[in-house]
Amino acid sequence: MALTQDHPLLGRSEVELEQWATAQGLPAFRGRQLHGWLYERGVRDWRDITVMPVPLRESPPAPLGRSRVVHRSLARDGTLKLLLELADGLTIETVGIPTQDRLTVCVSSQVGCPMGCRFCATGKGGLQRSLAVHEIVDQVLSVREAMERRPSHVVFMGMGEPLLNIAAVLGAVDCLGRDLGMAHRQITLSTVGVPSTLPQLAEQALARLGRCQFTLAVSLHAPDQGLREQLIPSARSYPYEQLLDDCRHYVAITGRRVSFEYILLGELNDHPAQALALADRVSGFQSHVNLIPYNPIAEEAFRRPTPTRVERFAATLRSRGVAVSVRASRGIDGDAACGQLRRRLLAPGPEIDPETDRGQLPSRATS
Ligand code: SAH
Ligand code: SF4
């Protein structure tokens, strides 16, 4: 896609930045300098790029494309949730999840989400718009800066449905690999399933990236179509069998496995019989099921499953030969569930817990 001269610079390759500089009447090396300042140094403001001529710093022809960190919430386990303000004033969440040997950034792909899943805080507010490449890459840079550590993994499991924004999501994957040196295998796209988009994702990834090495995670959340439709209204237009057929086709085209996600809702979809039904569904896939104990959200009365029920569900799947992991609850005291921080802060009179919340950050000028 051809970018206009005043389009934000973040997200562009070194060659594209050289071309941009040349089109501005600048020497090409200015583009290379910009590349280093954007990706290596993570500069936020043109005025800080001290190697650039002063007139350019004072009236830049294009914004850098950085968002503004307007709030952060730090959980006791070190999980950091950032609220970022985009150029048009809308806000998104991004989360940094540290362990000893990795730092995972959970990025948003849209402002809000139109899919309306009942257990999801993001789904409650509908969709405002999709994010552009620079707005996705910025989230990774913002977490790197805030945590003073290089992210090793990126998961598209924040706000939004990545398969409704395929071009920008693949553009961001491309940039993360090319400009930040991340391995595509360390990147995971999570989708609840949008009819006809899985073949598009595979084809566009192969056309644009020349390979398709990122991991695809498909959110199932129920063992049958009836319950799935209750939890995920959009599933009414996507029969279970069709979704699984599309997954098989995706595996055939890309040579990559898919993994499946399953939120466990206490007494609703966590019965051993449902684990057996799920095992039947995913048999034949060389796949992995990631169980996610539900994080309660204010709007719904679903229950968090007890640890015993989680373990029994996992054991039942394992007894049928399914590879299973249980997602540890990270940052539960920092509004862990997707979309919660943003909804809490958008609501009038947010209650902030001073122990877990660093509160409003001082306002910083951005380009
Ligand atoms: N739209 C995509 C990716 C974003 S949601 C998808 O749905 O897959 C990322 C993950 O967070 C999904 O697996 C989703 O089911 C999960 N999630 C959303 N709300 C949650 C909650 N309240 N508790 C636990 N997991 C939740
Ligand atoms: Fe959207 Fe995913 Fe939330 Fe469903 S779970 S509303 S698809 S972000």
Side-chain angles (χ1 to χ4, degrees):
M1 185 184 65
L3 298 174
T4 56
Q5 283 295 300
D6 58 355
H7 188 87
L9 300 181
L10 187 65
R12 301 189 199 213
S13 67
E14 191 164 24
V15 170
E16 287 166 340
L17 288 167
E18 283 177 354
Q19 288 164 348
W20 178 85
T22 310
Q24 295 295 323
L26 299 166
F29 78 85
R30 293 290 183 206
R32 292 195 291 281
Q33 286 179 321
L34 272 170
H35 188 269
W37 281 75
L38 277 170
Y39 297 107
E40 264 312 302
R41 296 178 182 243
V43 71
R44 291 188 160 274
D45 193 323
W46 265 100
R47 283 167 295 188
D48 296 334
I49 312 181
T50 46
V51 294
M52 288 290 160
V54 172
L56 200 60
R57 280 152 57 189
E58 282 177 354
S59 54
L64 295 180
R66 297 302 308 271
S67 306
R68 199 164 72 91
V69 181
V70 289
H71 196 92
R72 52 171 140 185
S73 174
L74 180 68
R76 288 180 184 87
D77 64 6
T79 299
L80 179 70
K81 188 171 272 201
L82 299 179
L83 191 73
L84 301 174
E85 188 182 81
L86 309 173
D88 58 5
L90 293 174
T91 51
I92 51 165
E93 285 183 16
T94 192
V95 187
I97 306 160
T99 61
Q100 208 167 13
D101 57 352
R102 55 169 79 178
L103 171 59
T104 302
V105 185
C106 176
V107 295
S108 295
S109 56
Q110 297 186 301
V111 188
C113 182
M115 306 302 277
C117 302
R118 285 191 47 211
F119 45 78
C120 174
T122 301
K124 299 296 170 194
L127 174 71
Q128 274 82 59
R129 68 172 172 86
S130 286
L131 295 181
V133 173
H134 66 278
E135 292 167 327
I136 300 173
V137 175
D138 169 82
Q139 298 174 56
V140 179
L141 292 177
S142 292
V143 168
R144 186 180 80 180
E145 179 186 320
M147 302 187 88
E148 296 177 0
R149 186 173 164 189
R150 231 167 235 284
S152 58
H153 293 70
V154 168
V155 293
F156 283 80
M157 292 187 184
M159 300 166 63
E161 172 45 56
L163 293 202
L164 291 174
N165 190 16
I166 293 177
V169 164
L170 291 180
V173 170
D174 197 11
C175 176
L176 294 175
R178 183 190 61 209
D179 304 304
L180 288 176
M182 296 192 70
H184 285 194
R185 283 176 184 268
Q186 317 287 42
I187 299 174
T188 299
L189 264 62
S190 172
T191 177
V192 79
V194 178
S196 79
T197 56
L198 279 175
Q200 285 174 28
L201 176 69
E203 283 155 22
Q204 290 185 33
L206 293 173
R208 171 157 194 167
L209 309 174
R211 60 206 161 127
C212 192
Q213 288 182 324
F214 51 80
T215 300
L216 182 71
V218 177
S219 296
L220 291 179
H221 307 326
D224 59 82
Q225 178 70 10
L227 182 56
R228 194 162 191 270
E229 284 182 11
Q230 282 178 39
L231 300 174
I232 306 170
S234 65
R236 283 180 212 131
S237 59
Y238 205 176
Y240 214 122
E241 264 317 311
Q242 183 65 54
L243 171 62
L244 292 179
D245 271 353
D246 288 346
C247 290
R248 282 183 203 103
H249 183 60
Y250 181 89
V251 172
I253 303 180
T254 63
R256 298 281 294 157
R257 294 180 189 181
V258 290
S259 65
F260 295 108
E261 289 169 280
Y262 192 98
I263 285 195
L264 282 171
L265 302 155
E267 313 279 337
L268 185 60
N269 68 353
D270 64 347
H271 297 277
Q274 289 165 313
L276 291 174
L278 179 65
D280 280 348
R281 286 281 188 191
V282 301
S283 76
F285 278 95
Q286 267 197 319
S287 75
H288 181 102
V289 173
N290 191 16
L291 299 175
I292 314 170
Y294 169 64
N295 278 325
I297 62 169
E299 294 88 344
E300 294 284 349
F302 295 124
R303 268 179 287 174
R304 203 172 157 76
T306 62
T308 313
R309 289 182 76 91
V310 174
E311 200 27 64
R312 195 183 307 150
F313 198 91
T316 310
L317 284 174
R318 284 191 194 107
S319 74
R320 290 297 169 106
V322 179
V324 184
S325 59
V326 179
R327 187 184 296 171
S329 265
R330 297 295 309 255
I332 195 144
D333 52 344
D335 302 291
C338 157
Q340 279 186 329
L341 173 67
R342 177 169 170 272
R343 281 186 75 70
R344 182 179 62 123
L345 293 174
L346 288 177
E351 291 284 322
I352 307 284
D353 170 1
E355 262 205 64
T356 60
D357 213 301
R358 291 210 207 142
Q360 197 81 17
L361 295 176
S363 176
R364 239 185 102 175
T366 49
S367 50

